Amino acid sequence: MADATTDYHRGAMDISEQTSTYNLVMGITKWGSLATAALVLWLTVWFCTDAGFLGAVISAVVLIAAGVFLLRDKKGGAH
């Protein structure tokens, strides 16, 4: 059993597809969370406060702008 040979060589496998899938899932999670948060904020401000529709839209747009600024991919950053 100790002499069994395999075709597996550690670190030799191409992982570009796994990396692409991971980046896609993380992107969907990140932007989907921002969209969900903006929707919840918009509905909450519109229906549960006296700010009305316009106040809700302004709040949601501010949240989306801040989220896009903070969640965008940074240039030169590995993480």
Side-chain angles (χ1 to χ4, degrees):
M1 270 281 170
D3 294 332
T5 59
T6 65
D7 291 333
Y8 176 74
H9 299 284
R10 183 179 176 140
M13 186 172 84
D14 180 26
I15 61 166
S16 61
E17 291 182 17
Q18 288 89 345
T19 303
S20 296
T21 302
Y22 175 80
N23 290 333
L24 176 66
V25 170
M26 290 299 108
I28 289 171
T29 302
K30 179 170 57 172
W31 298 112
S33 297
L34 177 61
T36 302
L39 178 65
V40 168
L41 176 67
W42 178 66
L43 290 171
T44 302
V45 172
W46 186 14
F47 291 117
C48 297
T49 67
D50 293 330
F53 179 78
L54 188 59
V57 170
I58 291 170
S59 300
V61 168
V62 168
L63 178 65
I64 291 171
V68 168
F69 177 74
L70 294 172
L71 294 177
R72 72 188 189 286
D73 292 333
K74 293 4 177 228
K75 291 184 170 83
H79 297 288

